[in-house]
Amino acid sequence: MQTETTIAEWNAALEAVAEELLDEAGIIAPPVDAALIARRLRITVAIDRSLQPRGVHKRLSGRSSIFVRPDNRPERLQWAVAHELGESTAYRVCEKLMLPDEEVSAADRETWANLLAARLMLPRQWFFEDATRLNGDVLELKTIYRTSSHEAIAWRLLDLPRPTVITIFDQGHITSRRANTGFSPPQLETLEKNCWQDVHHIQKSRTHSQSGLQVQCWPVHEPGWRREILRTTTLDEFADAGTEDWD
């Protein structure tokens, strides 16, 4: 199924469904409240302390309902609701791609739910403009999209057209590193390592630039845990140079 549909078609369908849901719910500006979207779409949202997964979508007496596990982080609750909204509306993606809903595997549906959640919480029509205006500053974007986590904001930056690598550090170690170039990201460059080490030690945001690359790093620190988010991009004058500048 995935080989018959291009990535561009997939992305277009996902963005379109997210935009439709926001429009139907009357959401006109960030931050996005996933629970409010659900209520306006007549989907019940309830806390279930017995849940093992973060959230589930069920139909009770013919009505859609979302149950989420309690969490002391509001962003996680928002994501859980958005994810289940994605699960419940995945059929719309099928319709746009002209795919039989019954042929969608559980794994594909889970992937679509995550992608739809990101597009609901960080809508293209607002997020891309804000991210461009703020040069992808995760901390500044967080003040606008406060219902989303720093990590979710960072991953959404990969959907912008500029070649980008996002790296997450937890407790001084890389826990995730992804690129939007279609290739696996290269090993950490010296420029990236130096920028990250500065931020890890001084606990302040830093930007380093060299040889057509820009490296930004932000501390997301809390008592007992240190996370840093690193964003590596081409500078404007190199934005159309493809992947050669990553070597």
Side-chain angles (χ1 to χ4, degrees):
M1 179 180 63
Q2 294 182 13
T3 58
E4 298 173 359
T5 305
T6 67
I7 293 175
E9 289 171 333
W10 254 51
N11 285 334
L14 290 163
E15 298 286 1
V17 170
E19 190 169 342
E20 287 173 1
L21 293 172
L22 291 164
D23 184 60
E24 290 169 19
I27 306 300
I28 60 173
V32 175
D33 184 338
L36 178 61
I37 294 175
R39 289 195 296 271
R40 289 184 175 178
L41 296 179
R42 298 186 177 181
I43 299 173
T44 301
V45 178
I47 299 291
D48 185 345
R49 298 182 183 279
S50 67
L51 275 183
Q52 292 301 314
R54 189 171 292 180
V56 295
H57 170 255
K58 298 179 180 179
R59 293 195 69 84
L60 300 176
S61 302
R63 181 170 180 174
S64 286
S65 300
I66 291 173
F67 297 90
V68 292
R69 189 178 65 198
D71 199 300
N72 59 2
R73 290 184 181 272
E75 296 94 337
R76 287 181 183 167
L77 284 173
Q78 288 282 341
W79 180 265
V81 174
H83 175 92
E84 298 309 320
L85 280 171
E87 284 264 12
S88 67
T89 56
Y91 72 91
R92 297 195 188 194
V93 180
C94 292
E95 290 174 353
K96 292 190 179 298
L97 296 175
M98 293 183 288
L99 298 172
D101 185 52
E102 62 273 11
E103 292 185 10
V104 179
S105 69
D108 281 338
R109 194 174 294 275
E110 184 72 11
T111 298
W112 290 7
N114 280 325
L115 293 172
L116 277 170
R119 285 152 178 76
L120 279 173
M121 300 304 297
L122 301 161
R124 179 188 181 97
Q125 61 268 40
W126 307 319
F127 183 79
F128 280 24
E129 180 179 342
D130 290 331
T132 300
R133 175 174 56 85
L134 296 170
N135 192 25
D137 190 315
V138 169
L139 299 187
E140 289 290 336
L141 288 166
K142 173 65 172 167
T143 67
I144 301 171
Y145 299 88
R146 58 181 180 272
T147 52
S148 291
S149 68
H150 294 90
E151 184 177 2
I153 290 169
W155 293 136
R156 184 66 162 136
L157 291 172
L158 290 176
D159 292 320
L160 272 67
R162 181 179 295 185
T164 301
V165 175
I166 297 293
T167 310
I168 306 294
F169 294 84
D170 286 310
Q171 299 293 83
H173 300 282
I174 294 176
T175 53
S176 190
R177 183 167 165 86
R178 303 179 200 166
N180 65 357
T181 59
F183 302 95
S184 297
Q187 292 186 343
L188 206 66
E189 300 279 353
T190 300
L191 183 67
E192 294 176 299
K193 185 176 181 180
N194 290 343
C195 187
W196 165 68
Q197 287 179 334
D198 282 352
V199 172
H200 184 72
H201 292 301
I202 68 174
Q203 302 183 50
K204 293 182 180 179
S205 302
R206 283 290 182 266
T207 298
H208 291 192
S209 300
Q210 181 181 310
S211 302
L213 292 183
Q214 174 183 261
V215 179
Q216 301 160 281
C217 192
W218 303 275
V220 185
H221 294 173
E222 57 187 55
W225 195 264
R226 282 192 176 191
R227 165 171 286 183
E228 292 87 29
I229 297 176
L230 193 78
R231 179 187 186 226
T232 307
T233 60
T234 52
L235 293 170
D236 286 340
E237 60 267 34
F238 292 88
D240 297 324
T243 59
E244 293 180 356
D245 294 301
W246 298 106
D247 297 333

